[in-house]
Amino acid sequence: MKLRGFISRLWPETLVGQLVLLILGAVVLTHVVLGLLLAEERRDALLSERRGGALARVAAISRILAATPSENWRDVLKVGQSPQSIMRLADKPDNSLPMSDISYTLSERLNQALDGPAVPARVHILSEDDCEAVEEREKKKHEKHGDDDDDDDRDKKWRKDDFVRDGHHGPRFFDHLDCVAAPLMQISVPIFPVGATVNAAGSAGAESLQPVVWLEARINGVAPPPRAVLQNILRIVISAVLIGIIAFFLARRMTRSWAVLAQAADRVGRGDYPEPVPEDGPLEIRRAAKAFNRMTARLKRFVEDRTRMLAAISHDLRTPITSLRLRAEFVEDAENRSRIIETLNEMEQMVEAAMTFAREETANEATRKIDIAALIEAAVEDLAETGRPIRFVGDGEPRVYPCRPLSIKRAMGNLMSNALTFGDHVDVSLKPADDGGMWIEVSDDGPGIPPDQRDQVFEPFFRLESSRNRETGGIGLGLAIARTAIRAHGGEIYLEDAPSGGLLARIYLPPIAQ
């Protein structure tokens, strides 16, 4: 669960970030898979190239020795030495060394390069254990026989200094090879001096010509090359950076239309009707923008038709109410006349309130940026100057917010009037929300509203019968108008218990979409 939570925190929230991350993930995964698939082939190719070069070098040295007088062989060997190729001359090859499939293959390649000698050359691949065993045998041999072995053969005094170094028992040219660097390649090539001939039986016969000496070469550095991890990582990083930059700009271009569409939708949700959004970008975005423009036009047309209908109803109702008021003046019974006029006044108030509520739902006031803290503080001060027990509690920091000022002021007026009607002390405060929006709170110390009726008080013409004074409770549109105004800005009103025991009305205004 912790790993999943950590991964979810790293996963980007924006569409641009997710697209770039997915593309980079695909690139890195492709590089890794291809690297694994090609690594072995690359290692095999490099190893084959190294072994082939070593065989060609030994074959060339053997040809030079065959064409050079024996007194100059020592100089040829010195020229042929290198940090990776160590050579010496021996009476006979070490036939005890193991032969593997790769050894037979390499031996065949070497003999082809030597044009099929009478006595075939041999190639051995020595592991670390094989190398140590060979070194141990040679060390014991020279400890047993010493330097006299070379002096017994009068024809091979040229090899004395080449085999034994003073103070060290072992081959002179093999003494600094490290068996830890195994596998090593040991090559044994027969040397036939120029002018030597082979009888008719060839190399297979018992009387066939034998080589004068054997050239032994031990080649290190023929192990499989190390994996180029750093180079592969660098290659992946460079590819990821370049592709990431390209993917970022492409994703930004693709999602720019989505951002415009989201801002337009947010404005429509706040009661504004912006200009049609541009219908450009990819096909899917063009279709979405076209559908959004059609929806906005239909919604605007519906609201305008509803506003005209309500205005006509209001005008039609005012006319008969005025006519009835005039007729009521001719009623001779004073008590009946007073009751009729009172009923007509109540009807007129209901019509005006209904029109106000309808106008609030269909308001087309322009949205502009204002200091909403200053707006609320000014509304509170206007009520406080009339002697009402209300105060503004704030930090004095400006809160610039795009809204319809008259709509917000009317909503706040209804909430504050409702609180002053039923409470002896009213506090109004403004504080920022955690998500970047803001909270406006109106609290009183009145009787409050039962929790089971807090949703119903927002319904038009709903009046509490027991928790609030029915005679001073108005006609039941104050909270409905306030909630309509706040919801038109994308916010909400919540009713809770106040710390002082009364009612706490909390207005939430969301952050502005960027």
Side-chain angles (χ1 to χ4, degrees), residues 65-78:
L65 289 174
T68 304
S70 60
E71 58 269 16
N72 295 328
W73 284 357
R74 180 178 179 180
D75 296 330
V76 174
L77 290 179
K78 288 184 177 180

Side-chain angles (χ1 to χ4, degrees), residues 27-41:
V27 171
V28 172
L29 183 60
T30 301
H31 274 282
V32 171
V33 173
L34 292 179
L36 293 176
L37 293 177
L38 299 179
E40 293 301 326
E41 294 184 7

Side-chain angles (χ1 to χ4, degrees), residues 303-318 351 354-362:
V303 170
E304 291 175 349
D305 293 343
R306 185 180 178 187
T307 302
R308 285 193 294 267
M309 179 188 68
L310 290 175
I313 293 175
S314 174
H315 180 271
D316 293 342
L317 287 176
R318 287 175 179 175
V351 170
M355 284 300 301
T356 302
F357 177 70
R359 281 196 302 269
E360 215 39 70
E361 283 192 322
T362 59

Side-chain angles (χ1 to χ4, degrees), residues 97-98 125-136 177-185 218 223:
L97 298 177
I125 301 298
L126 303 183
S127 64
E128 184 175 351
D129 294 337
D130 296 334
C131 179
E132 292 177 351
V134 171
E135 294 291 349
E136 186 66 22
L177 284 180
D178 189 2
C179 290
V180 178
L184 306 177
M185 186 164 63
R218 196 177 283 185

Side-chain angles (χ1 to χ4, degrees), residues 149-465:
D149 291 343
D150 295 326
D151 294 333
D152 291 341
D153 191 347
R154 293 186 300 270
D155 296 332
K156 298 178 181 177
K157 292 183 178 180
W158 49 268
R159 292 193 293 120
K160 178 178 180 180
D161 294 334
D162 291 337
F163 275 97
V164 182
R165 173 184 294 179
D166 293 340
H168 178 77
H169 297 283
R172 177 176 182 180
F173 295 127
F174 280 21
D175 58 356
H176 70 280
L177 284 180
D178 189 2
C179 290
V180 178
L184 306 177
M185 186 164 63
Q186 181 163 322
I187 306 173
S188 301
V189 180
I191 303 300
F192 297 93
V194 176
T197 59
V198 182
N199 62 5
S203 59
E207 300 177 354
S208 62
L209 181 67
Q210 294 296 323
V212 175
V213 71
W214 287 78
L215 171 64
E216 286 190 351
R218 196 177 283 185
I219 313 296
N220 62 1
V222 295
R227 300 183 185 274
V229 178
L230 182 60
Q231 295 179 0
N232 290 336
I233 293 177
L234 183 61
R235 188 180 299 111
I236 292 174
V237 170
I238 295 175
S239 300
V241 170
L242 295 178
I243 296 178
I245 294 175
I246 298 174
F248 174 78
F249 286 104
L250 289 178
R252 281 283 301 273
R253 183 179 181 276
M254 292 171 57
T255 58
R256 188 179 297 115
S257 300
W258 284 116
V260 174
L261 188 61
Q263 293 178 359
D266 183 72
R267 291 184 60 186
V268 171
R270 295 173 181 272
D272 294 337
Y273 295 97
E275 296 295 326
V277 298
E279 299 177 5
D280 53 9
L283 178 61
E284 293 79 4
I285 298 181
R286 293 201 304 268
R287 290 177 177 175
K290 187 175 182 179
F292 177 81
N293 289 334
R294 289 198 303 265
M295 180 197 69
T296 303
R298 293 168 183 170
L299 183 60
K300 184 178 181 180
R301 185 166 57 250
F302 168 76
V303 170
E304 291 175 349
D305 293 343
R306 185 180 178 187
T307 302
R308 285 193 294 267
M309 179 188 68
L310 290 175
I313 293 175
S314 174
H315 180 271
D316 293 342
L317 287 176
R318 287 175 179 175
T319 300
I321 290 175
T322 302
S323 177
L324 288 175
R325 187 188 300 276
L326 293 176
R327 292 177 181 273
E329 296 295 336
F330 294 100
V331 176
E332 297 180 354
D333 189 346
E335 182 178 357
N336 288 334
R337 183 172 63 249
S338 176
R339 291 182 177 179
I340 293 174
I341 293 175
E342 182 180 353
T343 301
L344 292 175
N345 289 335
E346 185 177 356
M347 291 177 61
E348 189 172 5
Q349 291 178 3
M350 293 179 65
V351 170
E352 291 294 336
M355 284 300 301
T356 302
F357 177 70
R359 281 196 302 269
E360 215 39 70
E361 283 192 322
T362 59
N364 54 4
E365 178 187 358
T367 300
R368 54 192 178 92
K369 292 184 177 181
I370 64 167
D371 185 357
I372 197 168
L375 175 68
I376 296 174
E377 186 175 6
V380 172
E381 290 178 354
D382 290 342
L383 291 174
E385 290 177 356
T386 62
R388 311 296 291 276
I390 187 172
R391 63 174 181 171
F392 178 74
V393 181
D395 53 10
E397 294 291 332
R399 299 281 192 274
V400 178
Y401 191 82
C403 63
R404 292 183 291 277
L406 293 180
S407 181
I408 292 292
K409 189 174 182 179
R410 185 177 296 113
M412 290 300 304
N414 289 348
L415 290 175
M416 291 186 295
S417 297
N418 189 72
L420 289 170
T421 301
F422 302 102
D424 296 331
H425 297 88
V426 178
D427 292 333
V428 181
S429 62
L430 177 65
K431 60 183 68 175
D434 295 336
D435 60 355
M438 64 181 62
W439 289 97
I440 304 173
E441 297 182 350
V442 179
S443 63
D444 61 58
D445 56 355
I449 299 177
D452 59 344
Q453 293 183 330
R454 288 175 183 173
D455 291 335
Q456 294 178 330
V457 296
F458 290 108
E459 298 178 2
F461 303 106
F462 179 83
R463 297 175 58 184
L464 293 174
E465 298 182 356

